[in-house]
Amino acid sequence: MENSVQLLASIIQLAVAPVFLLAGIAGFLNVMSGRLGRIVDRARIVEIRVSTVTEEPRLSMVRIELRTLWRRVHLINWSIGMCTASGLLVCSVIVSLFVGHLWDLHIVEVVIGLFILALFLLIIALVLFLREVQLATRILHVGREFPN
């Protein structure tokens, strides 16, 4: 009995590290969903502005901003998707650790593969997020905003 309790304790210890990674992914998803909401809100404002602006230089600026906002939405959506898939794979790693122990399966390669894939998807999500932030800061120019 004591041996099985110790073995279970070691399996739980192994599962704790991926749980911390999962918590980090959840925080990252929270940040990205907040950014997505702000981008969509700004896009709605700019879409209204497109229909009200008549001077060509300003209309061109507004259209460029709107295109950039939709590119940002696309990037952040992909980043959220990759991050979510990464989180699902981390959950699969945790479940695999327990199931492998419970049924005495030798699935080390599966666990390693899932974990590597989860990290790979997280890397892609971070790169996409970085690209979205770079795109957001590129269009910032002091004095470009004009009154309605």
Side-chain angles (χ1 to χ4, degrees):
M1 177 71 174
E2 186 175 316
N3 190 23
S4 64
V5 170
Q6 288 176 343
L7 194 55
L8 181 60
S10 69
I11 296 297
I12 290 173
Q13 287 174 343
L14 282 175
V16 167
V19 169
F20 283 118
L21 178 59
L22 195 57
I25 290 171
F28 186 42
L29 281 169
N30 188 33
V31 167
M32 288 189 298
S33 64
R35 285 185 71 86
L36 178 61
R38 293 192 61 156
I39 296 167
V40 168
D41 290 345
R42 178 66 183 167
R44 288 181 180 145
I45 291 168
V46 173
E47 282 177 341
I48 292 169
R49 189 168 286 165
V50 165
S51 64
T52 61
V53 173
T54 57
E55 305 94 34
E56 183 48 44
R58 288 185 175 179
L59 184 59
S60 176
M61 269 181 24
V62 171
R63 286 183 177 151
I64 289 170
E65 182 180 2
L66 189 58
R67 274 195 311 271
T68 303
L69 287 168
W70 286 114
R71 284 182 60 207
R72 287 178 61 199
V73 165
H74 182 73
L75 284 170
I76 205 81
N77 270 332
W78 271 100
S79 184
I80 288 171
M82 295 292 124
C83 200
T84 301
S86 177
L88 289 170
L89 286 172
V90 171
C91 289
S92 299
V93 165
I94 296 167
V95 168
S96 296
L97 287 170
F98 283 106
V99 167
H101 170 69
L102 181 67
W103 291 328
D104 198 27
L105 299 174
H106 300 286
I107 55 171
V108 174
E109 294 84 11
V110 173
V111 171
I112 290 171
L114 289 172
F115 191 72
I116 289 172
L117 187 56
L119 291 179
F120 182 70
L121 291 176
L122 185 58
I123 289 169
I124 293 171
L126 289 168
V127 169
L128 289 169
F129 179 70
L130 177 63
R131 182 71 184 114
E132 187 274 325
V133 170
Q134 289 173 339
L135 192 57
T137 56
R138 187 181 332 148
I139 66 168
L140 290 177
H141 297 284
V142 177
R144 268 185 72 178
E145 188 65 33
F146 53 90
N148 289 334

